[in-house]
Amino acid sequence: MEQHGSGGRRRRRRPLIIIGVVVVALLIIVVIAVAVSLKQRRGKDNFQSTFMARCNKFMGYNCNQVWKAFQQAYVGRDPRKVPMDAYNPFIIETPFHNPICNKLIFWSKTKEIAHDFTEKNKNCFITVEDTLMGSVVDGLIWCGKEGSNETFTTGCPEWGEGENPVRSFWKRASAAFADAACGDVTVMLNGSLDTPYHPESVFASIEVPRFTSTKVKSLNVVLVTQNNLDTCTNDSLKNLQKELAHGITYNCKEVAEIQIQKCSSSSGMQCGTCW
């Protein structure tokens, strides 16, 4: 009788144990879901606050309007179907307010070098990331989702996946920067690469075709070199020269990276004296 009663109690405990396990599992799922939701919210809030803080460093812009124009490009859309022209309203809200002729410097595979240089020499040169247009999202990731009015900073497509928000943005911003080019224009290319002027780069596919001889006087190539094998005779640079609009003067000069670094650390250089 005692054994029979003990077995009955064990049988009654099993459903209670199973219920307890299920409750714990559900609690874990709820905690994870809440944590993910909070992380996404913090990511969105951090993204917007970073965007606005960067925008507010520039005078003469309505940053609330800039933010709205930026958001409308991707919010509620399939993150792999955001075309370049979706950012047209943003480009309209971020015109260049200061004189830029002879100051624009483009780059391809030399971002860090170019930015180190312009950081100390903004009176001489500016990259697209030095403008409000490029500054507000430089180094950031973002996307939207169908049926949502949120901005997401995780789970977004990789750079090469369709017409994703980040890729399309930089192509559109680069196009606007190239459209503004006038006078003497400079580009820093990486002389350590077999193809410094790569046909699939943003510079080759987006920016160069938009240079017009009615506005651009010359293109000065600064080939950032590491050794004597890096020269302006590279075949890809010959292609660059051929692809320039008729009437734009082409110049190329090899400049050692260490020389550019010295110029980057000097705040009193004369414009153009690095090359």
Side-chain angles (χ1 to χ4, degrees):
M1 292 293 292
E2 289 179 357
Q3 289 180 347
H4 177 76
S6 176
R9 286 194 296 272
R10 284 196 295 271
R11 285 193 294 271
R12 286 195 295 272
R13 288 195 191 102
R14 288 193 188 103
L16 293 176
I17 292 172
I18 293 172
I19 292 172
V21 170
V22 171
V23 169
V24 170
L26 289 174
L27 285 173
I28 292 173
I29 292 172
V30 169
V31 169
I32 292 174
V34 170
V36 170
S37 178
L38 289 173
K39 183 178 180 181
Q40 290 177 340
R41 170 60 62 178
R42 285 195 299 271
K44 184 262 183 183
D45 291 343
N46 289 339
F47 182 90
Q48 183 175 354
S49 62
T50 298
F51 184 105
M52 296 299 288
R54 292 179 178 181
C55 181
N56 286 323
K57 291 180 180 179
F58 293 82
M59 302 294 292
Y61 296 92
N62 183 329
C63 289
N64 288 325
Q65 287 298 113
V66 172
W67 170 248
K68 289 178 182 178
F70 174 77
Q71 268 198 313
Q72 63 78 40
Y74 62 88
V75 165
R77 294 194 182 199
D78 182 332
R80 291 174 179 79
K81 295 181 181 179
V82 179
M84 284 175 57
D85 60 13
Y87 288 101
N88 286 351
F90 170 80
I91 298 300
I92 293 172
E93 289 290 338
T94 56
F96 301 108
H97 286 168
N98 298 317
I100 57 173
C101 282
N102 307 315
K103 294 182 65 175
L104 299 196
I105 184 166
F106 297 79
W107 57 266
S108 184
K109 302 298 183 182
T110 54
K111 181 179 180 180
E112 185 175 343
I113 299 170
H115 284 183
D116 285 345
F117 179 71
T118 59
E119 180 63 29
K120 286 290 182 68
N121 302 290
K122 283 189 172 67
N123 290 332
C124 296
F125 298 103
I126 58 171
T127 66
V128 64
E129 294 85 4
D130 294 318
T131 68
L132 180 147
M133 179 174 61
S135 170
V136 287
V137 292
D138 186 25
L140 303 182
I141 300 294
W142 68 92
C143 65
K145 292 182 180 179
E146 289 182 295
S148 172
N149 62 357
E150 295 290 323
T151 293
F152 298 90
T153 57
T154 58
C156 297
E158 297 294 329
W159 176 262
E161 292 184 49
E163 293 181 307
N164 70 75
V166 177
R167 184 182 186 186
S168 290
F169 172 85
W170 285 112
K171 289 171 70 174
R172 184 64 186 90
S174 297
F177 197 61
D179 287 340
C182 53
D184 297 322
V185 174
T186 303
V187 60
M188 279 190 183
L189 300 180
N190 192 332
S192 297
L193 301 177
D194 292 336
T195 311
Y197 178 68
H198 198 285
E200 296 181 6
S201 68
V202 171
F203 180 64
S205 62
I206 299 292
E207 294 167 334
V208 169
R210 302 180 88 100
F211 294 157
T212 63
S213 58
T214 56
K215 294 175 61 180
V216 176
K217 176 184 175 183
S218 68
L219 176 66
N220 302 309
V221 175
V222 176
L223 189 65
V224 183
T225 64
Q226 298 289 339
N227 54 60
N228 293 332
L229 297 178
D230 310 317
T231 72
C232 287
T233 59
N234 186 283
D235 286 341
S236 71
L237 298 180
K238 295 177 182 178
N239 292 334
L240 168 57
Q241 189 172 4
K242 293 176 183 177
E243 291 171 13
L244 281 178
H246 181 70
I248 299 178
T249 302
Y250 171 88
N251 302 292
C252 181
K253 188 169 184 179
E254 300 120 10
V255 183
E257 182 176 348
I258 191 170
Q259 174 63 27
I260 297 176
Q261 290 172 343
K262 288 179 180 179
C263 288
S264 299
S265 63
S266 174
S267 58
M269 64 157 282
Q270 296 293 317
C271 294
T273 55
C274 265
W275 49 79

